Amino acid sequence: MRGHLPDENPGFVGRRTELERISVALAENRLVTVTGVGGVGKTRLALRAAHRAAERYPDGAWWTDLTQLDGDRLLVALVADSVDLADHTPGMATTGLCRRLADDRLLLVLDSCEHLAEPCGRLVAELLAAAPGLTVLATSRRPLGVEGEHVITLDPLPPAGQDALELLRRAAGEDFPAVGPAGEICVRLEGIPLALELAAAQIRLQGAEAVRDQLGSRFDAPPGTRFDLLAHTERVWPSRHQTLRAAIGWSHELSAPLERLLWARLSVFRGPFDLASATAVCVGGPLNRATLPGALDGLVRASVVRAADAAGRHRMLDTIREYGATWLDRTGETATVAERHAAHFRGLARRAEAEWHGARQLRWYRTVDAHHTDLRTALDRLLRTDPDAALDLVGSVAFAWSCRGRLREARDGLEQALLLSDVRGRVRARALWALGVTLVLQGEFGPAQEVSERCAREARYAEYVEHAGYAEEPGYGEHAGSVDHGVYADPSGHAERTGHGAYAEAVAHAGHAAARGTGSRRDRPGDLTLDAAALAGLLALTTGRPMAAYVVVGHVLDAARGGPADSAARLRCHLVRVFALTGLGRLDEARERALDLRARCQALDEHWTRTALEYQLALTGLLEGDPAAASGHARAMLEGTRSLGASLGVALGLDVLATALAAAGDGERAADVSGTGEAYWRSTGQPRRGLPGLRALHEKYTDTVRASIGEPAYEEIFVRALTGLPQDGLDRALRGPRHG
């Protein structure tokens, strides 16, 4: 089935009437919002309703968890990501999302909208206007305020009914009688599901009678003496919300002191966290590396923290996290722990970048993806408090984000950090390189050209400063200022030229010095200049100038010392040269270099460059008239891009595979793969593109097989693949012999 919904909680109980109301409402309204207090079960009910309704939507049911956002700046990007739109297009973010949904019949679930109710309302109104087949199911503590919104208010479970008792039984793992302490607990907690789950955790530890007695003594006391209840601004059911807060406060009081401290500090995480991250962020004072695991286990036993999933990640429900955040504020530690959180994820980002070149590339790429929410949270904080550190963080992960299809987030973070930060040298050069790559992938070639020039200047300058030893001197900032005034700060003192001038100046100086045998270590380009060359070459390739790409990377590679696989930057330069040779028609040389480079990547267990090389080898096979070889390399490329979660790479790979199948005369499979490719292209928000040579071959061979099997047959297969499950189409495409 198309779409993506999380797995249902096996502890779902009752709600038959509410489920039927939602089902009817979804059939009659395009926006249905389930409102209610925190902990009443809105998310669980919406998920069950979405699973039940999914088959009515040919284009699937899709889930968006909004708890990970603390502002609306990335709201559209998150929703786009949730519907598998790896939006590579420039312009307004909502434009690509509206285009993605315009012709589909799908259900979009927006969970936990209350802290973004107004921006959610504006976005939903715009999407509903642009996409006639769209239905939205939202959960929020208050309505979104959109015209035509149908609001369903969710009450707690009937306190004296069977559903509340059954929920308590399942959560506690005990079969209580209908009359007795368990029933009294349900009444005391007014049937609020989250409160019942917290009570069930204590029942497992103390027994039902002890829990009933504690709740009786606490909840019968005057409200002011029950607990130090948190202030809240809820507009619905304040008395019941007070009951939930009291239940959470009761769990807090029953927790050991170290557990309370950990609860408060864990509230800085907005996404899932593992033990390593919790330790790095939350240790301090009595909570140390030895005591933290026990405190975490205690919070899991009390149902404050969810048990670890298969990947070892925990999480807290938003209502419980909010409670912890208020206690963190009362201890005066909010800023300190948030700074520690930001520093930890900045360190994780830097480690991921360092590990990009080598056997742990895929592992760290996935780590960045798994911690995306908290990396983004750390970035948002650093943009406010330490823009230089923000530039370092986003520069470290932006390339991985772009590979994953998060181009808007990468560009947004890079542009903000570059604007706010004054830091010069290596950190800035790396961020400019990442921004240039992002702009090229978005097809923004004009801005990419300007950023490429800035990157080249900053790279050459940074390397000159580092080699000259200025970085540790008080006058470093004075040297940095010369770049801003348009003077290229290298030993030659040449004036900067326009166009590719700054870059050409750098490589020409280094190349001429090397050719004369007079180049010093300071003159030889390092990885920053190599990456600047790779960016300039990538831009030249994508704008149909293979000779410019070949020359621009050739100058730097000739001047640099080291083997092709000595660093990620060297690999990227050699990759650009291979593609440039292909574009120039020097196919034997291109294939020979590609095979050598692929062998080096295999020895390193490097994935990204190897996948790109398989694409190049597939192109070479097509150009040499060997469609069987091209098909094998295309499938190898698709396996690599699938492991990286790169939708643009999958789309490109499917195009080259479809072209190879068409060249081999296999019209039906070519149509099937091409239709799947179109589905993936639509997920990027842009029309088909790729290297100019491939587009011409694709059109040529596709026209041939259309004629051979007949236009109606080709279109039927193509449309069936386009409207089917993209993953199923990719699985079909990958079936076939692999090329060695």
Side-chain angles (χ1 to χ4, degrees):
M1 183 176 294
R2 294 174 70 91
H4 170 72
L5 295 173
D7 293 334
E8 287 193 73
N9 188 320
F12 188 90
V13 172
R15 300 296 197 189
R16 290 173 293 277
T17 300
E18 293 90 340
L19 280 168
E20 184 59 30
R21 287 178 62 199
I22 293 177
S23 180
V24 171
L26 289 173
E28 298 176 351
N29 303 273
R30 298 184 60 208
L31 171 60
V32 177
T33 303
V34 180
T35 64
V37 297
V40 79
K42 300 184 297 295
T43 295
R44 194 175 302 186
L45 178 64
L47 183 57
R48 170 60 64 94
H51 274 284
R52 287 183 50 172
E55 62 183 15
R56 289 161 36 189
Y57 299 92
D59 296 298
W62 306 81
W63 185 271
T64 308
D65 176 10
L66 299 179
T67 60
Q68 56 191 287
L69 296 179
D70 60 1
D72 65 342
R73 185 167 54 84
L74 294 174
L75 172 61
V76 178
L78 180 64
V79 175
D81 191 45
S82 73
V83 296
D84 282 354
L85 172 60
D87 190 1
H88 288 61
T89 59
M92 295 295 293
T94 51
T95 303
L97 185 56
C98 288
R99 189 184 302 117
R100 159 71 173 85
L101 303 179
D103 299 323
D104 288 350
R105 286 181 55 206
L106 59 79
L107 175 66
L108 175 62
V109 187
L110 301 177
D111 183 43
S112 300
C113 299
E114 53 274 351
H115 62 304
L116 298 171
E118 292 182 3
C120 278
R122 291 193 296 270
L123 176 61
V124 167
E126 189 169 351
L127 294 179
L128 291 174
L134 172 66
T135 300
V136 176
L137 173 61
T139 72
S140 178
R141 295 177 195 170
R142 59 190 179 97
L144 302 187
V146 177
E147 184 177 356
E149 178 181 25
H150 182 86
V151 177
I152 294 178
T153 301
L154 184 62
D155 290 319
L157 296 168
Q162 285 298 311
D163 288 343
L165 184 63
E166 181 61 23
L167 175 59
L168 192 67
R169 286 170 174 165
R170 292 192 187 184
E174 189 173 340
D175 188 14
F176 306 112
V179 178
E184 295 177 47
I185 290 170
C186 293
V187 172
R188 291 281 183 188
L189 296 179
E190 301 181 17
I192 300 174
L194 178 55
L196 293 174
E197 289 184 350
L198 293 172
Q202 294 301 325
I203 289 173
R204 293 195 298 268
L205 298 173
Q206 306 180 58
E209 290 188 13
V211 169
R212 177 200 58 189
D213 293 342
Q214 289 177 25
L215 290 176
S217 63
R218 290 295 185 180
F219 281 55
D220 289 340
T225 61
R226 291 179 185 174
F227 299 101
D228 188 10
L229 295 177
L230 306 182
H232 60 85
T233 58
E234 297 300 331
R235 294 190 237 169
V236 291
W237 300 324
S239 62
R240 285 174 177 167
H241 201 277
Q242 187 180 65
T243 297
L244 175 62
R245 294 288 189 175
I248 297 174
W250 169 65
S251 293
H252 188 264
E253 183 183 83
L254 293 175
S255 299
L258 288 183
E259 293 169 358
R260 296 178 200 168
L261 182 58
L262 179 59
W263 182 345
R265 291 177 178 175
L266 286 174
S267 67
V268 299
F269 290 94
R270 298 198 74 90
F273 57 87
D274 52 26
L275 177 60
S277 292
T279 301
V281 173
C282 299
V283 293
L287 194 61
N288 55 44
R289 292 180 179 275
T291 58
L292 187 144
L296 181 59
D297 287 343
L299 293 177
V300 171
R301 287 193 299 272
S303 292
V304 171
V305 171
R306 296 304 193 199
D309 60 17
R313 294 190 296 266
H314 301 271
R315 71 181 307 149
M316 283 196 295
L317 291 180
D318 198 42
T319 304
I320 292 176
R321 185 181 65 80
E322 289 172 2
Y323 189 95
T326 304
W327 277 101
L328 185 67
D329 186 58
R330 292 187 177 192
T331 65
E333 287 193 335
T334 298
T336 300
V337 178
E339 287 169 6
R340 201 179 300 154
H341 174 274
H344 169 67
F345 283 101
R346 180 187 176 191
L348 184 146
R350 299 181 78 175
R351 177 77 184 278
E353 185 196 26
E355 297 287 356
W356 182 265
H357 184 64
R360 289 185 285 190
Q361 181 188 84
L362 193 58
R363 171 193 165 191
W364 277 95
Y365 176 83
R366 289 171 176 167
T367 297
V368 167
D369 197 43
H371 290 288
H372 179 68
T373 297
D374 280 290
L375 282 165
R376 197 169 56 198
T377 299
L379 174 61
D380 287 343
R381 175 171 181 80
L382 291 174
L383 285 170
R384 297 190 300 269
T385 62
D386 189 349
D388 293 352
L391 187 65
D392 184 36
L393 186 155
V394 72
S396 297
V397 297
F399 184 63
W401 284 0
S402 292
C403 291
R404 185 66 174 80
R406 295 188 169 105
L407 295 180
R408 289 189 181 277
E409 291 177 73
R411 180 176 178 178
D412 177 76
L414 288 164
E415 289 181 335
Q416 284 200 72
L418 284 164
L419 181 65
L420 295 172
S421 171
D422 293 325
V423 71
R424 305 305 302 257
R426 179 167 293 273
V427 170
R428 194 169 200 85
R430 182 186 57 193
L432 286 166
W433 166 75
L435 178 58
V437 172
T438 301
L439 291 168
V440 170
L441 292 176
Q442 285 190 313
E444 290 269 65
F445 301 129
Q449 175 69 49
E450 187 268 337
V451 169
S452 177
E453 292 294 325
R454 291 167 59 195
C455 178
R457 291 194 297 271
E458 196 72 35
R460 179 63 178 155
Y461 174 76
E463 289 174 358
Y464 171 67
V465 167
E466 289 175 1
H467 294 160
Y470 292 144
E472 298 179 359
E473 296 181 6
Y476 175 64
E478 298 171 12
H479 291 278
S482 65
V483 178
D484 287 332
H485 291 92
V487 178
Y488 190 76
D490 70 3
S492 67
H494 291 303
E496 180 185 334
R497 293 197 294 267
T498 58
H500 278 291
Y503 174 73
E505 194 71 43
V507 298
H509 176 79
H512 292 163
R516 294 193 306 268
T518 61
S520 66
R521 176 177 177 269
R522 185 179 65 189
D523 295 324
R524 293 192 177 276
D527 282 349
L528 293 176
T529 299
L530 285 161
D531 261 336
L535 171 58
L538 174 65
L539 181 57
L541 285 173
T542 52
T543 52
R545 297 176 292 123
M547 178 57 76
Y550 181 78
V551 170
V552 86
V553 297
H555 272 305
V556 172
L557 288 174
D558 289 344
R561 282 180 176 169
D566 284 356
S567 70
R570 280 176 168 77
L571 273 178
R572 287 188 279 261
C573 268
H574 280 278
L575 178 65
V576 169
R577 183 152 70 177
V578 164
F579 274 97
L581 287 167
T582 306
L584 292 170
R586 295 161 60 176
L587 302 183
D588 289 342
E589 188 179 355
R591 185 178 61 256
E592 180 182 353
R593 287 181 182 270
L595 291 172
D596 174 71
L597 210 56
R598 187 183 68 168
R600 294 173 187 268
C601 291
Q602 288 172 332
L604 282 170
D605 196 23
E606 197 274 356
H607 290 258
W608 184 83
T609 307
R610 192 193 328 174
T611 295
L613 286 165
E614 295 289 2
Y615 179 62
Q616 184 277 335
L617 287 165
L619 287 174
T620 302
L622 280 172
L623 293 168
E624 291 182 324
D626 189 350
S631 295
H633 289 300
R635 289 192 178 94
M637 181 224 180
L638 286 169
E639 289 175 356
T641 52
R642 181 165 65 172
S643 69
L644 291 169
S647 58
L648 178 60
V650 171
L652 288 166
L654 289 168
D655 273 2
V656 74
L657 178 58
T659 305
L661 291 169
D666 192 345
E668 292 184 356
R669 296 187 68 202
D672 182 56
V673 173
S674 190
T676 302
E678 177 64 22
Y680 274 94
W681 276 113
R682 291 187 182 184
S683 77
T684 70
Q686 60 180 311
R688 272 187 161 99
R689 62 188 177 104
L691 296 179
L694 176 62
R695 292 199 296 270
L697 287 171
H698 183 77
E699 292 173 4
K700 171 186 172 182
Y701 290 120
T702 298
D703 288 344
T704 301
V705 294
R706 279 179 180 271
S708 66
I709 69 172
E711 184 74 21
Y714 185 96
E715 280 299 314
E716 181 183 353
I717 298 169
F718 180 92
V719 171
R720 186 164 60 240
L722 171 61
T723 57
L725 292 175
Q727 183 59 56
D728 288 350
L730 181 56
D731 289 341
R732 291 194 303 274
L734 285 169
R735 297 184 195 126
R738 286 285 309 277
H739 181 70

